[in-house]
Amino acid sequence: MPEAPEVTEAPTPEIENQPTVRSDAWLQKTGEHMKKLPGSAILTFLSEGFAHWGSSILSQLPNFKTKFADAWVEFMKNPENAAKVAKLSPEVVNQIAPLTEGVVTATGIGGVLLGTFFGWQGVKHAPNVLEKMIYMGSKAALVASYFFAPAYIPLATGISAASTFIGMRHRK
Amino acid sequence: MLTNPKTAIISILEIINYQNDKETFADKFIELCIKQSFLEMIGDLPKEKVALLTSRIKSVSSLEQFVKTLKEYIHPSLLTRKIEQVSAKLFDAYIEGIFQTLDEDTKAKLMSYLAKIENGQ
């Protein structure tokens, strides 16, 4: 008697993760919308004309090491800060040295070192700690940091405010 | 104490089980907030000033010059306020955009996390 043919199930199609799909679509749509706003040509400088931001900034800031040293002294006068920094690896501390003017304040440097500025969890696994730590991956944030430091505060305030509205709408 | 925005966005992506690179998404989100803030500030300027600013920016050769030029048109305290408004608006829009894709359990976790952000935890 011939053997029954092997029954193989058709592979089930991958079920798309909707939050992922929707998140990526939202990001793309919002980015596209921005390109239509007047003045968007100005921001192409950030993404296209500024390829070597690291070296160009450092070359423009002859006094950054002095400022860093002064701010560092102030920062370390606080015993709590000193204790936290003592736990950081030397590699991290060395990589923080060439910081830009935007974060050369006691608060900024302290924030960077403590990881509160840029999110320590993300930084810990970054191949290039300095690159990840300084700009949150965003050149636009660098520009914002020239206007005020630390730049994350109004962003954080906005997100906090939005959390309130969202909570009010959806809380049962 | 305010929650670091990148940390907050990554935490939310973890809650909703976002599958792609969370750090990249968070970076892009933050970049959008800041860029849109600048654009809205520029958009509030009279047309002649926007044209002048655009032509001046084309000839800058460094970030320092770029910022110096922008500062002549955009006041830092106004920009701060604008970033707060825009980031609130975009964050709200994003959460609302994905909310209906979440199951009840995830929605509850998300709401709980947002309450922590609200309370500065």
Side-chain angles (χ1 to χ4, degrees):
Chain A
M1 197 163 158
E3 277 183 28
E6 214 175 287
V7 175
T8 52
E9 286 181 12
T12 45
E14 258 184 58
I15 298 170
E16 286 180 325
N17 175 296
Q18 277 304 307
T20 303
V21 169
R22 194 69 74 89
S23 297
D24 289 343
W26 181 90
L27 202 65
Q28 180 154 4
K29 189 176 150 196
T30 309
E32 290 299 323
H33 167 74
M34 256 181 19
K35 287 180 191 169
K36 297 174 189 165
L37 296 177
S40 62
I42 291 169
L43 291 185
T44 57
F45 178 90
L46 284 174
S47 38
E48 291 167 20
F50 200 36
H52 303 293
W53 54 263
S55 54
S56 76
I57 285 172
L58 292 179
S59 67
Q60 287 157 38
L61 298 170
N63 299 321
F64 78 88
K65 277 185 177 163
T66 310
K67 287 187 184 179
F68 176 86
D70 292 343
W72 176 248
V73 165
E74 278 309 301
F75 176 73
M76 290 295 276
K77 278 180 184 172
N78 182 332
E80 267 185 36
N81 293 338
K84 286 176 183 172
V85 167
K87 292 181 189 169
L88 292 173
S89 75
E91 185 200 332
V92 169
V93 176
N94 287 340
Q95 287 199 38
I96 287 166
L99 286 173
T100 69
E101 196 171 41
V103 294
V104 181
T105 61
T107 311
I109 291 172
V112 168
L113 292 173
L114 295 174
T116 56
F117 198 105
F118 299 111
W120 184 239
Q121 290 308 313
V123 167
K124 256 193 333 193
H125 303 293
N128 182 332
V129 174
L130 179 63
E131 192 171 64
K132 292 277 185 171
M133 285 178 81
I134 288 186
Y135 297 118
M136 301 186 284
S138 163
K139 294 177 194 127
L142 164 63
V143 175
S145 76
Y146 273 78
F147 283 75
F148 49 83
Y152 84 87
I153 286 182
L155 273 161
T157 308
I159 287 175
S160 178
S163 298
T164 307
F165 304 139
I166 296 164
M168 279 161 56
R169 277 204 296 275
H170 293 289
R171 236 162 253 149
K172 293 177 182 169
Chain B
M1 189 174 164
L2 291 169
T3 308
N4 179 295
K6 182 166 177 176
T7 308
I9 293 162
I10 290 177
S11 297
I12 286 165
L13 295 173
E14 283 168 353
I15 290 170
I16 67 169
N17 194 25
Y18 179 80
Q19 302 282 293
N20 294 334
D21 190 311
K22 296 178 186 60
E23 277 212 36
T24 303
F25 184 97
D27 289 341
K28 284 183 180 176
F29 185 98
I30 288 166
E31 178 136 353
L32 276 183
C33 289
I34 296 179
K35 278 188 174 176
Q36 182 145 333
S37 304
F38 275 112
L39 287 175
E40 289 193 15
M41 300 259 1
I42 291 165
D44 290 342
L45 297 171
K47 277 187 189 165
E48 338 50 88
K49 281 201 172 173
V50 175
L52 180 59
L53 176 58
T54 307
S55 70
R56 287 184 64 192
I57 290 292
K58 281 179 186 167
S59 62
V60 303
S61 56
S62 70
L63 179 61
E64 209 174 46
Q65 277 181 10
F66 177 77
V67 171
K68 196 174 162 196
T69 308
L70 267 187
K71 272 186 175 177
E72 293 176 31
Y73 298 82
I74 296 177
H75 196 278
S77 65
L78 294 179
L79 178 61
T80 307
R81 216 172 306 149
K82 179 61 77 171
I83 291 182
E84 283 176 18
Q85 290 164 359
V86 167
S87 53
K89 186 168 69 179
L90 290 182
F91 187 74
D92 190 15
Y94 168 62
I95 298 293
E96 288 306 311
I98 57 155
F99 202 73
Q100 296 313 320
T101 66
L102 309 176
D103 59 42
E104 290 306 312
D105 187 46
T106 307
K107 282 180 186 172
K109 285 180 185 159
L110 179 59
M111 286 296 112
S112 170
Y113 183 73
L114 292 179
K116 283 188 184 167
I117 296 178
E118 199 186 328
N119 296 323
Q121 291 172 27

